[in-house]
Amino acid sequence: MSSEDAKVCPITANHIKVALVGQPNVGKSMLINSVSNAHLHVGNFSGVTVDKTEVLFDYKNYHFTVVDLPGTYALTDYTIEERVTNEYLCTEDYDIIINVVDSTNLEKNLQLTSELLTMSKKVVIALNMSDEAEKEGIKINAEYMTELIGVPCIKVSAATKEGIEELIEAVAIKHETSKNRPKLVFSESVEEEIAQLVWYLDKHKYNSTNSYRNVAINLLKGNKKTYAKLHDEPIWIELQPILIEATKHIELHHDSDDIKEAFAEEYAAFNRGIAAEVLKQKKVEEKKTLTEKIDSILIHPIFGIPIFLFFMWSLFQLTFVIGNIPMDYISMFFTWFGDTIGATIGNDDIRSLVVDGVIAGVGAVVLFVPNIIILFVGIALLEGTGYMSRVAFLLDGFFHKFGLHGQSFIPLVTGFGCSIPAYMSARILKNDRDRLLTLFIIGFMSCGARLPVYVLFSGAFFAPDMAGNVLFAIYISGAMLGLIAAKVLKLTAFKGKDEPFVMEMPKYRLPTFKLIWHTVLTKTMMYLKKAGTFIAGAAMLIWFLSNYPHNIDLTKSYETKIEKTQDVREKNILKNQLSETQLEQSYLGRIGKFSEPLFAPLGFDWKMSVALQAGIAAKEVVVSTLGVLYALGNDVDQNSNSLMGAISKNISFPSAVAFIVVIMIYLPCFAASIVFTREAGHIKYFFYLFAFTSIVAYVMAFIAYNVTSFLL
Amino acid sequence: MKTLLDCHKDCKVRIVKLNTGGELKQRLISFGIMKGAEVEVLEHAPAKSTIEIKVGKMRIALRGEEAKFIDVEKI
Ligand SMILES: Nc1nc2c(ncn2[C@@H]2O[C@H](COP(=O)(O)OP(=O)(O)OP(=O)(O)O)[C@@H](O)[C@H]2O)c(=O)[nH]1
Ligand SMILES: [Mg+2]
């Protein structure tokens, strides 16, 4: 606990630490959002939450710390996210578990519940999605269920906030009372073996925090931790043969050679029993649910993929067409803002720093906020409706050919928004090789910060009705390149056998407006915040580097020349020449000139080279740098006020294509590189990634430049 | 013995045995795909590379390669 917390809550006795556990996609994160003012990421597919997150809130005189954990089907540890949950439950210190279950699929959800009940922890069950259950005509008798399994069961709905207070109340009460003795009943043959083990443990007065019954169950299930603990005890010698005998009996009874399978069947039978007792399905189930009807179209063997491509195409079309409507206004606003602010500043240098540095740089980035918002809305819909898993289903066959796992689709799509959460969400991949492979190609999925560069260039070189298509083509070719890169890596660096693909397909849900609004707002605010801080700072740096050192002699010689001529046009040309030369002689110009030979084969001038190098920090900086550089260079030219105009005038088409190719492929940004390194687990992978993306980017851009030059 | 891979769209079967071990088996079991469970095939991707099934109320996608380890019988 931090010192700040201590100040707010001096009475530590009223602290309750709650671990939120449940199967994936049952609404754990949403439940936390509805009790506190947190905005945890919510989405309609399994594996949204991949890391534990703590949320603090107060209720009456209690201070709650709720830990949101990744969903898990059973207490296993195949994937990293499952490991996070399992480890947390077994090793961390917490007071109580809220087991969140999906009321519309009770029997399946109880599978995890019955596992939790064998741990020596206080448990409260939240029967979530009660609103949906009601719509489907499912009635759960919560009181009866409480009685049957000996654990408080509370009906709640994270969506409508029904029952939330009762749930918190129940947690508080449970916290005060003693541990419950859950009533988990097995078949007769298993009960016999349990009784025998309990009798034995009791005879030797074995010292344990967990009840003897739970210890016995865990032993029979082959729970590694319980084994490890008992293994060092003297009673082990006698216990072991009893255990082996008991296991044999159970396996025989279940006609299986796998005790885990036998126990899964035991649990399933228990759960079926509970569900049969407490559940009442009022409506007769339709032959096909709505979800299945929608699925028969959306994952149709022939139409499925074209429909998906059509959605993507529409999204980029919208991004361009609608996103560009406010662009002129934003651009006008920043020009006006710059002029107004500029008029109040006397000092030439400071004025230039503010107007040409900060305002031009930040303005260039903010200009694309509408486009980014539309992209974010698209991703939020994909995540919120349940379509995400369908696309993973559709693409698995295709992905598989390229050595990728169908579920890789989820981090890859997240990558279209931002690479950082995408690197995190690769944790849903079970196998380390698959995960590393996916990590390496996430960068090929162009993140939101690259969208401005694409919009800028496609807007500069194509008519508005074509630009949307170009945008779509850029994204698709990026993804294609990614797939090819995956194949190459799979054949060379990440050889190995394929992993199974088993994935839940959630039911379709219509995300509420509020949910979409919050998701998009959070992401947009992050973009704006970055523009206001990091990008503004970078723009200042770029401005400084491009203005100094001042060459006073040069300025003087030009100024005398300008004064001599009478012709206005001549004057303008001279002024432009002056600022161009000044720029070239600046620090930045020198850096650019120095690296120009490296980029010359790709057709880049020094300004483009500098923008690319600055882009290693963040992709938004590419646009802001171009904004600063062209704002400075073209100060006097009133006609090409807009950056788009400046670009179409100063950059040749083949160079622009090569530039886009590099942006598409090379490192996403500094922050993402750090997360990549952390997720990959070793710094060497960062150097691999850097080398890999730089080489591919260079080679592809070289090809693109020469092919386009040849064709034109 | 018929496997889940041999089933057509819309066919309903009961699982007899999981013909696999280790992680895949655990994974399948944790999704409720176990002996005695009733399964309905909902959709096939082209060439049965991936199939969608329904177990209880849950829809699950899995690869054809995995479906062929699941022995089933008609109900
Ligand atoms: N109708 C309804 N929908 C809900 C409710 N709770 C959650 N949802 C929806 O269920 C989906 C999953 O919610 P999440 O909160 O992301 O689920 P989670 O348990 O955190 O999932 P993971 O992090 O993947 O384990 C989202 O689409 C929510 O909008 C509820 O009470 N009623
Ligand atoms: Mg979650």
Side-chain angles (χ1 to χ4, degrees), chain A residues 78 254 396 499 503 505, chain B residues 26 35 54 59 61 63:
Chain A
Y78 296 134
H254 277 270
D396 179 62
E499 281 303 313
M503 179 189 68
M505 307 269 261
Chain B
Q26 287 304 311
K35 199 170 73 191
K54 189 174 183 181
R59 282 161 301 272
R63 279 201 192 125

Side-chain angles (χ1 to χ4, degrees), chain A residues 25-30 43-44 47-49 71 128 131-132 157-159:
Chain A
N25 209 36
V26 296
K28 296 177 292 298
S29 305
M30 198 177 192
N44 191 16
V48 181
T49 309
N128 194 28
D131 59 318
E132 227 173 69
S157 161

Side-chain angles (χ1 to χ4, degrees), chain A residues 23-31 41-49 68-71 128-132 156-160 384 509 515:
Chain A
Q23 293 201 334
N25 209 36
V26 296
K28 296 177 292 298
S29 305
M30 198 177 192
L31 193 63
H41 191 182
V42 167
N44 191 16
F45 59 97
S46 15
V48 181
T49 309
D68 187 22
L69 292 167
N128 194 28
M129 310 233 181
S130 54
D131 59 318
E132 227 173 69
V156 297
S157 161
T160 64
R509 292 196 167 93
L515 189 65

Side-chain angles (χ1 to χ4, degrees), chain A residues 347-566:
Chain A
N347 184 305
D348 271 352
D349 275 354
I350 296 183
R351 185 175 57 235
S352 178
L353 169 68
V354 172
V355 177
D356 301 327
V358 179
I359 295 179
V362 173
V365 174
V366 173
L367 196 57
F368 299 97
V369 165
N371 309 83
I372 298 241
I373 288 179
I374 294 171
L375 183 73
F376 285 163
V377 169
I379 294 177
L381 283 175
L382 188 61
E383 288 181 346
T385 51
Y387 189 48
M388 184 84 119
S389 311
R390 271 67 191 188
V391 185
F393 174 88
L394 285 173
L395 293 184
D396 179 62
F398 186 63
F399 269 34
H400 201 187
K401 289 200 180 69
F402 288 93
L404 279 171
H405 196 274
Q407 256 174 306
S408 302
F409 176 73
I410 291 167
L412 293 182
V413 159
T414 314
F416 283 124
C418 172
S419 301
I420 293 174
Y423 287 135
M424 301 274 296
S425 77
R427 292 177 176 198
I428 59 170
L429 293 164
K430 166 170 160 272
N431 176 287
D432 265 350
R433 228 178 14 242
D434 280 343
R435 205 168 56 82
L436 272 174
L437 180 58
T438 309
L439 287 179
F440 267 87
I441 61 161
I442 280 173
F444 284 91
M445 309 301 132
S446 294
C447 66
R450 300 182 205 196
L451 181 67
V453 187
Y454 301 156
V455 173
L456 184 63
F457 277 76
S458 49
F461 289 99
F462 293 94
D465 55 337
M466 266 308 283
N469 293 337
V470 172
L471 218 53
F472 178 61
I474 290 175
Y475 273 84
I476 291 290
S477 19
M480 280 310 195
L481 269 177
L483 288 182
I484 296 167
K487 185 76 193 172
V488 173
L489 287 173
K490 180 82 179 184
L491 289 175
T492 54
F494 300 111
K495 272 184 245 170
K497 81 174 188 7
D498 293 326
E499 281 303 313
F501 171 75
V502 190
M503 179 189 68
E504 183 177 351
M505 307 269 261
K507 71 175 73 140
Y508 286 106
R509 292 196 167 93
L510 202 61
T512 58
F513 177 75
K514 215 178 109 202
L515 189 65
I516 299 279
W517 166 253
H518 273 303
T519 319
V520 173
L521 188 72
T522 316
K523 287 189 189 170
T524 310
M525 287 318 282
M526 256 166 65
Y527 182 83
L528 282 175
K529 208 174 130 197
K530 200 169 163 195
T533 53
F534 185 75
I535 307 297
M540 264 158 80
L541 183 69
I542 296 286
W543 176 87
F544 175 78
L545 290 177
S546 53
N547 269 286
Y548 291 92
H550 269 323
N551 188 336
I552 299 171
D553 294 341
L554 181 83
T555 319
K556 277 207 182 116
S557 77
Y558 265 96
E559 268 167 7
T560 44
K561 267 198 237 165
I562 290 172
E563 257 159 49
K564 270 188 205 143
T565 56
Q566 296 300 317

Side-chain angles (χ1 to χ4, degrees), chain A residues 78 82 104 108 111 138 254 261 264 288 292 295 299 301 396 430 499-503 505 507, chain B residues 10 23-27 29-31 35 43-44 46 52 54 57 59-63 65-66:
Chain A
Y78 296 134
E82 283 175 2
T104 62
K108 176 72 195 33
Q111 198 181 358
I138 298 168
H254 277 270
E261 188 178 18
K288 286 261 181 224
E292 280 148 32
D295 262 355
I299 60 170
D396 179 62
K430 166 170 160 272
E499 281 303 313
F501 171 75
V502 190
M503 179 189 68
M505 307 269 261
K507 71 175 73 140
Chain B
D10 290 334
E23 286 188 5
L24 177 58
K25 187 171 184 178
Q26 287 304 311
R27 190 99 187 131
I29 287 175
S30 73
F31 276 81
K35 199 170 73 191
E43 198 65 69
H44 282 143
E52 188 194 16
K54 189 174 183 181
K57 286 187 173 176
R59 282 161 301 272
I60 300 161
L62 73 168
R63 279 201 192 125
E65 283 160 42
E66 286 128 39

